[in-house]
Amino acid sequence: RLGKMGIKTCITVDFGDGSKMKFFGNPVSCKSRYQSLTEADVGFVDPVVKSFDISHTYEVQGLYKVTVTGFDERGYAEENLDVTIFRMPCKVPQVWLPVNETSWLRPERVPKNYRSKPYQVASASILECNKTVQTYMEWSAYKVSIKKDPQSQTGMIEELTEIQINETVPSFQSSLIDIPGLTLDIGLHKLVFKLEIETGVPDLPLYKTAYTYFNITQSPLVPGFIKGSIAKVTRGWGQTLKLDVKGYSLDPDDPASNDWNV
């Protein structure tokens, strides 16, 4: 299912096993990138419903990466899905984040959170099995840098630097992560939730992931002039009032700091 698409959108599906790529959507847009295609090679997708059904049979068990792209003459989007082909007493689990933003191409839509404030993200999953299986949940955090890349369809690419949160975030192995304030630095970040099922075969992991982007921003300074954060003071004629900005102001992102330029 596509979040958005137009009548000129072309969709490609690569199953990752060396089989032929599948195409859906607008034949003209598809042929602009894949000149050898014919109209019969491109399946129909209703631009109103924005969903399509596709089936594929894998001949060999293993871990495969399915790649789905959507593009037209102006835009491009790509999504990858890891698929484990293995005999198990479970259906493929479903994992998602009810509140998320999965693209950094629209900075105005990426959630913002002050560095001094805690940040919470909840996950949801559905797992149907006919016997008891062992499951594992884990969150990973990354600092995101956006760099130019001529090879990318968008001209930009993300560079991820993993942040170790297993000691600073106690909830990193639960369905809801609660990141304490002052844990992450200012900038763009990516949170990835992973649900893994024990298969008993080390070379065949079975897991699903979901992710979201968010921005950590600088907290506003809290100015103070008098002890107790008093907002209004009245003095009589001839009396002195001492205002000490350096002593009573606060930077929530660095509570020990008192190096103010007044």
Side-chain angles (χ1 to χ4, degrees), residues 5-159:
M5 70 171 292
I7 59 175
K8 294 185 177 181
T9 301
C10 173
I11 303 163
T12 72
V13 182
D14 184 349
F15 294 99
D17 61 349
S19 60
K20 288 185 178 181
M21 190 180 295
K22 299 292 185 180
F23 299 87
F24 299 88
N26 185 287
V28 176
S29 296
C30 292
K31 291 179 68 174
S32 67
R33 291 174 183 260
Y34 303 92
Q35 286 79 13
S36 61
L37 288 178
T38 65
E39 288 197 17
D41 296 325
V42 183
F44 174 76
V45 178
D46 189 334
V48 177
V49 180
K50 299 187 288 293
S51 65
F52 61 99
D53 295 325
I54 185 170
S55 61
H56 183 72
T57 301
Y58 288 92
E59 301 296 337
V60 181
Q61 70 176 16
L63 179 63
Y64 299 92
K65 184 180 289 294
V66 179
T67 302
V68 180
T69 70
F71 63 88
D72 56 20
E73 58 192 11
R74 297 197 307 168
Y76 178 90
E78 180 179 304
E79 190 71 39
N80 295 305
L81 179 67
D82 293 319
V83 176
T84 300
I85 305 302
F86 189 66
R87 185 180 295 278
M88 283 201 65
C90 298
K91 293 183 179 180
V92 177
Q94 300 178 45
V95 174
W96 71 96
L97 305 181
V99 180
N100 67 79
E101 177 53 52
T102 58
S103 175
W104 44 263
L105 293 172
R106 299 283 299 273
E108 70 278 5
R109 295 174 54 177
V110 178
K112 295 179 176 61
N113 192 75
Y114 289 139
R115 183 171 184 265
S116 61
K117 302 294 184 181
Y119 189 68
Q120 290 186 345
V121 178
S123 66
S125 58
I126 298 176
L127 179 60
E128 297 182 33
C129 300
N130 57 23
K131 64 177 292 187
T132 302
V133 295
Q134 184 70 39
T135 61
Y136 306 93
M137 292 181 290
E138 184 177 29
W139 291 87
S140 301
Y142 301 87
K143 184 70 181 292
V144 182
S145 299
I146 308 300
K147 297 187 176 182
K148 292 183 178 180
D149 182 12
Q151 303 300 322
S152 172
Q153 297 286 351
T154 61
M156 307 292 287
I157 191 173
E158 66 175 12
E159 185 176 274

Side-chain angles (χ1 to χ4, degrees), residues 224-236:
F225 304 94
I226 299 175
K227 185 177 181 180
S229 300
I230 296 173
K232 182 178 180 180
V233 176
T234 301
R235 287 288 187 270

